[in-house]
């Protein structure tokens, strides 16, 4: 890959001629050259730059600007360059500034004067805007398949643990018993929206700037629909100024990525809590954890901790790009060169985080006893007792009061509601009878929430089946 290729900025070696040097009387300051170059990072776009050039050349041939021989030479030359890059045989040059000029200069070295015709009717401004969109479209597809892999893993886990009970929390205080499967499905639903947002963003990414040229379009009789078709774009953009300067597709992508990272970060926080000795609800496989160099007993949940930490990088990139764009007059400005590193970092961070979660989640195991004990401890069936009283015609507010007193008594005696005798419970209301114990069990409590979106194992199983079918349709 391109990483094997070295970047040279050694002024001892022969200086490549600037492709834009015509009007200049002195050569660029060496520091300025390095400061303004983007080849160290935009080399990552080589494949998309070459694909864009091949389509552009083919279109120039179709409209009669390049001959058949010329377009063949250009295509063969570009294919060879791609092979050279992939074999690690191309030395990137800082003097040639960016990916576009590195490839174009290499093409001219290979095929001679025809190489210089490739840039007819285009500019680096529409070229870079096109390259990023081609690259990002591909990355969105990778991200979407990683989201789906994680979703499948969560469904697997939810199905396996549909009956497992743990305490559900509000304010991080035990609230009501829920099923583990239901909890996993909450994460699944967030990812459904994340996936849809990525797909929606892809529609706006998949518009072609090429043909906008520097900013105003070009005097050549180009066929932009043809180029768009060759590159698999939905259509060419409608305005050349917008085409070269718009980066809101990238901001939209990073904002969607930020939401995924925010979800993964919340998820991470729960995994960190749940693996701690205080909760001890779940176990992460050893291969996703690390030890401590000083404390031999430690097994640290590094993967979720890192994902939680990495969310900050992505949120930071969102602000970088918003700030990058907010004061730019139309059309292209060199500021835009700063769009790439935050965008690349966002994609790398998101793909890495999704991959770690997709690999890890299906291998999580649960400590059912510990979760059950925790659910018993927090009077988590208090609402069920109130609902029971309401079922016997007591107004809800009165029922709330009665159960509140019973809980107060339980706190004093160190007893859960389900551990109290019928006599003890009847002290708070004489309408309580033996059947109360059916609703005070954890199993009874979760099974009773048996409606669409509720925590009952039956509902979990039904949503898993429905979601699996939806996923396999995509
Ligand atoms: N390296 C530039 C970028 O990333 C490519 C476009 C340069 N255009 C220009 N007029 N200097 O945006």
């Amino acid at each position: 890959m391109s990483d094997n290729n070295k970047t040279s900025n050694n002024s001892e070696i022969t200086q490549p001629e600037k492709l834009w040097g015509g009007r200049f009387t002195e050569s660029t300051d060496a520091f300025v050259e390095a400061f303004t170059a983007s080849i160290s990072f935009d080399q990552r776009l080589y494949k998309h730059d070459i694909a864009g050039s091949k389509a552009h050349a083919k279109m120039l041939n179709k409209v009669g600007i390049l001959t058949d021989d010329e377009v063949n030479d250009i295509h063969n030359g570009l294919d060879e360059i791609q092979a050279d890059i992939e074999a690690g045989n191309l030395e990137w040059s800082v003097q040639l500034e960016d990916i576009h000029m590195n490839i174009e200069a290499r093409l001219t070295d290979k095929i001679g004067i025809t190489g210089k015709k490739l840039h007819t009717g285009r500019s680096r401004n529409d070229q870079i805007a096109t390259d990023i969109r081609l690259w990002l479209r591909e990355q969105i597809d990778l991200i979407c398949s990683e989201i789906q892999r994680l979703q499948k893993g969560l469904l697997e886990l939810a199905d396996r643990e549909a009956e497992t009970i743990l305490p559900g929390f509000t304010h991080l205080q035990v609230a009501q018993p829920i099923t583990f499967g239901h909890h996993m499905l909450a994460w699944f639903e967030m990812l459904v929206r994340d996936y849809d947002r990525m797909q929606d963003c892809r529609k706006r990414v998949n518009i072609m700037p090429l043909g906008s040229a520097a900013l105003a379009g070009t005097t050549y009789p180009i066929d932009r629909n043809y180029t768009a078709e060759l590159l698999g774009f939905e259509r060419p953009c409608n305005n050349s100024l917008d085409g070269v300067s718009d980066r809101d597709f990238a901001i939209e992508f990073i904002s969607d990525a930020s939401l995924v990272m925010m979800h993964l970060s919340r998820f991470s926080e729960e995994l960190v809590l749940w693996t701690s000795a205080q909760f001890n609800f779940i176990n992460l496989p050893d291969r996703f954890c690390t030890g401590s160099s000083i404390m031999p007993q430690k097994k640290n949940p590094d993967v979720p901790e890192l994902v939680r930490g990495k969310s900050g990088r992505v949120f930071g990139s969102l602000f970088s790009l918003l700030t990058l764009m907010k004061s730019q007059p139309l059309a292209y400005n060199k500021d835009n060169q700063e769009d790439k590193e935050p965008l690349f970092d966002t994609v790398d961070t998101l793909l890495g985080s999704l991959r770690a979660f997709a690999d890890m989640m299906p291998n999580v195991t649960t400590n059912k006893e510990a979760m059950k004990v925790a659910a018993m401890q927090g009077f988590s069936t208090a609402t069920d007792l109130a609902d029971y009283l309401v079922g016997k015609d007591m107004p809800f507010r009165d029922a709330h009061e009665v159960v509140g007193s019973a809980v107060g008594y339980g706190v004093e005696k160190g007893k859960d509601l389900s551990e109290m005798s019928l006599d003890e419970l009847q002290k708070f209301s004489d309408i309580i009878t033996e059947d109360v114990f059916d609703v005070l069990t954890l199993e009874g409590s979760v099974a009773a929430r048996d409606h669409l979106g509720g925590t009952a194992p039956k509902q979990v199983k039904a949503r898993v089946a429905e979601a699996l079918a939806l996923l396999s349709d995509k």
Side-chain angles (χ1 to χ4, degrees), residues 38 42 97-98 100 124-125 128 247 332 334 336-337 339-340:
S38 54
D42 66 13
E97 201 177 318
D98 57 28
H100 323 298
R124 285 185 292 151
N125 298 352
I128 187 63
R247 294 293 181 274
Y332 176 87
K334 184 78 166 178
N336 280 347
Q337 184 164 291
D339 63 354
K340 279 167 263 327

Coordinates of all heavy atoms in Angstrom, one line a residue, residues 38 42 97-98 100 124-125 128 247 332 334 336-337 339-340, ligand 1:
S38 N 0.6 18.6 0.9 CA -0.4 17.7 1.5 C -0.1 16.2 1.2 O -0.8 15.3 1.6 CB -1.8 18.0 1.1 OG -1.9 18.0 -0.3
D42 N -2.5 13.1 1.8 CA -3.5 12.8 0.8 C -3.1 11.7 -0.2 O -3.8 11.3 -1.0 CB -3.9 14.1 0.0 CG -2.8 14.7 -0.8 OD1 -1.8 14.1 -1.0 OD2 -3.0 15.9 -1.3
E97 N 4.0 18.6 -4.1 CA 2.9 19.1 -3.3 C 1.8 18.1 -2.9 O 1.6 17.8 -1.7 CB 2.2 20.3 -3.9 CG 1.5 21.2 -3.0 CD 0.9 22.4 -3.7 OE1 1.6 23.0 -4.6 OE2 -0.3 22.8 -3.4
D98 N 1.1 17.6 -3.8 CA -0.1 16.8 -3.4 C -0.2 15.5 -4.3 O 0.6 15.3 -5.2 CB -1.4 17.6 -3.4 CG -1.7 18.3 -4.8 OD1 -1.3 17.7 -5.8 OD2 -2.3 19.3 -4.8
H100 N -2.4 14.8 -6.5 CA -2.7 15.0 -7.9 C -1.5 15.3 -8.8 O -1.3 14.7 -9.8 CB -3.7 16.2 -8.1 CG -4.7 16.3 -6.9 ND1 -5.6 15.3 -6.7 CD2 -4.9 17.3 -6.0 CE1 -6.3 15.7 -5.6 NE2 -5.9 16.8 -5.2
R124 N -7.3 21.1 -9.9 CA -7.2 20.3 -8.6 C -8.3 20.6 -7.7 O -8.6 19.8 -6.8 CB -5.8 20.6 -8.0 CG -4.6 20.0 -8.7 CD -3.4 20.3 -7.9 NE -3.0 21.7 -7.9 CZ -2.4 22.3 -6.9 NH1 -2.0 21.7 -5.9 NH2 -2.1 23.6 -7.0
N125 N -9.0 21.7 -7.9 CA -10.1 22.0 -6.9 C -11.2 21.1 -7.1 O -11.8 20.6 -6.1 CB -10.5 23.5 -7.2 CG -9.4 24.5 -6.9 OD1 -8.4 24.1 -6.4 ND2 -9.7 25.7 -7.2
I128 N -9.8 17.3 -6.1 CA -9.8 16.9 -4.7 C -11.2 16.7 -4.1 O -11.4 15.7 -3.4 CB -8.9 17.9 -3.8 CG1 -8.7 17.3 -2.4 CG2 -9.6 19.3 -3.7 CD1 -8.0 16.0 -2.4
R247 N -17.9 21.5 1.7 CA -17.4 20.4 2.5 C -18.5 20.0 3.6 O -18.2 19.3 4.5 CB -16.1 20.8 3.3 CG -14.9 21.1 2.4 CD -14.4 19.8 1.7 NE -13.3 20.0 0.8 CZ -13.3 20.4 -0.4 NH1 -14.5 20.6 -1.0 NH2 -12.2 20.6 -1.1
Y332 N -13.1 27.9 -3.8 CA -12.1 27.1 -3.1 C -11.1 28.0 -2.4 O -10.6 29.0 -2.9 CB -11.3 26.2 -4.1 CG -10.2 25.4 -3.5 CD1 -10.4 24.2 -2.9 CD2 -8.9 25.9 -3.4 CE1 -9.4 23.5 -2.2 CE2 -7.9 25.2 -2.8 CZ -8.2 24.0 -2.2 OH -7.2 23.3 -1.5
K334 N -7.4 27.4 0.1 CA -6.4 26.4 0.6 C -6.8 25.9 2.0 O -6.3 24.8 2.3 CB -5.0 27.0 0.5 CG -3.9 26.0 0.8 CD -3.5 25.1 -0.3 CE -2.2 24.4 0.0 NZ -1.8 23.5 -1.1
N336 N -9.2 24.5 2.8 CA -9.8 23.2 2.6 C -8.9 22.0 2.6 O -9.3 20.9 2.9 CB -10.6 23.2 1.2 CG -11.9 23.9 1.3 OD1 -12.4 24.2 2.4 ND2 -12.5 24.1 0.2
Q337 N -7.6 22.2 2.4 CA -6.7 21.1 2.5 C -6.7 20.6 3.9 O -6.3 19.4 4.1 CB -5.3 21.7 2.2 CG -4.2 20.6 2.1 CD -3.0 21.1 1.4 OE1 -3.0 21.3 0.2 NE2 -1.9 21.3 2.1
D339 N -9.1 19.8 5.6 CA -10.3 18.9 5.9 C -9.9 17.4 6.0 O -10.6 16.7 6.7 CB -11.4 19.1 4.7 CG -10.8 18.6 3.4 OD1 -9.6 18.2 3.3 OD2 -11.6 18.5 2.4
K340 N -8.8 17.1 5.4 CA -8.5 15.6 5.2 C -8.1 14.9 6.5 O -8.6 13.8 6.8 CB -7.5 15.4 4.1 CG -8.1 15.5 2.8 CD -7.2 15.6 1.6 CE -6.9 17.0 1.1 NZ -8.0 17.9 1.1
Ligands
LIG1 N1 -4.1 19.7 -1.9 C1 -5.2 20.5 -2.2 C2 -6.4 20.2 -1.2 O1 -6.2 19.3 -0.5 C3 -5.7 20.2 -3.5 C4 -6.3 21.4 -4.2 C5 -5.3 22.4 -4.4 N2 -5.8 23.5 -5.2 C6 -5.2 24.7 -5.2 N3 -5.7 25.6 -5.9 N4 -4.1 25.0 -4.5 O2 -7.3 20.9 -1.1

